[in-house]
Amino acid sequence: MRVEASPPTTARRRRSPGLWCHEPATHGGAARVGGGAVRAEPVRTEDNRAYTEGSYGYLGRTGTVTTRQPIAGTDDRALYSSAAKGAYEYRFDGLPDGTYQVELGFAELSNTQPGKRVFDVLAEGVQELPDVDIALEAGGTYRALARTFTVHVVDGQLNLRFASPSDQPLVNSIRVTHRPDLG
């Protein structure tokens, strides 16, 4: 998985799942969200990594699932052709308090049947997406599914939890955008 700080209009082609943060201010080598409106700035990428305090990353064991199959429902095949599997949480430290838009991208990259991989997505301890069933909601496997919600950060850290009683959660992309206009 990659972390990329770029405005929404910047081309986003890559082979690994992606994390995006807008307003690329960095500390400790981690892309983070900050400041006001989205500005066009150079793109910076970093590898997905385990969480360390003061930075960003995943908690839990994670692996990468990839496919060469075409992905329906998206113009950005590269974005959806790989996914992080198994992380139970992503944390982003050093965020200014405020409202953020979180965009998640999903695609089942194997022949997983509906009902097999079901999980909840929580942001800041609040359930935002209950019972996500990628294969069911996308209409099958190898199909893109995007979900968006807003969250208010009050402690300088955004926590995105993926909770599953059965199979490991899967996420292809995470985009976090500071949205003071929605606060």
Side-chain angles (χ1 to χ4, degrees), residues 3-180:
V3 174
E4 186 170 308
S6 66
T9 57
T10 301
R12 300 175 314 265
R13 302 283 181 220
R14 76 191 82 25
R15 285 199 171 116
S16 61
L19 290 170
W20 295 285
C21 298
H22 290 298
E23 283 288 323
T26 60
H27 62 88
R32 72 176 178 87
V33 181
V38 175
R39 294 188 295 261
E41 305 240 357
V43 173
R44 300 178 196 146
T45 61
E46 298 184 32
D47 290 329
N48 187 38
R49 62 175 174 226
Y51 171 76
T52 56
E53 190 173 336
S55 188
Y56 74 93
Y58 62 84
L59 294 162
R61 301 181 97 173
T62 187
T64 301
V65 181
T66 61
T67 186
R68 292 178 190 229
Q69 296 284 336
I71 305 297
T74 181
D75 292 331
D76 197 345
R77 183 188 174 283
L79 176 62
Y80 287 93
S81 66
S82 63
K85 178 181 171 184
Y88 66 84
E89 185 170 336
Y90 276 88
R91 290 185 184 166
F92 300 86
D93 287 353
L95 302 184
D97 291 353
T99 302
Y100 291 84
Q101 180 174 295
V102 177
E103 299 170 66
L104 302 176
F106 306 101
E108 281 292 353
L109 303 180
S110 63
N111 290 322
T112 303
Q113 298 298 312
K116 171 74 169 125
R117 184 190 321 272
V118 179
F119 56 93
D120 298 332
V121 178
L122 294 86
E124 296 298 281
V126 176
Q127 186 180 57
E128 296 290 345
L129 303 175
D131 301 322
V132 176
D133 185 337
I134 302 167
L136 179 67
E137 294 177 45
T141 58
Y142 306 104
R143 295 177 175 272
L145 173 68
R147 293 291 180 254
T148 301
F149 56 87
T150 58
V151 61
H152 195 71
V153 174
V154 296
D155 61 357
Q157 181 184 75
L158 173 59
N159 303 86
L160 296 176
R161 181 171 285 271
F162 298 84
S164 174
S166 57
D167 204 359
Q168 296 178 329
L170 182 105
V171 63
N172 299 71
S173 66
I174 300 172
R175 171 186 265 163
V176 175
T177 309
H178 190 210
R179 293 296 306 267

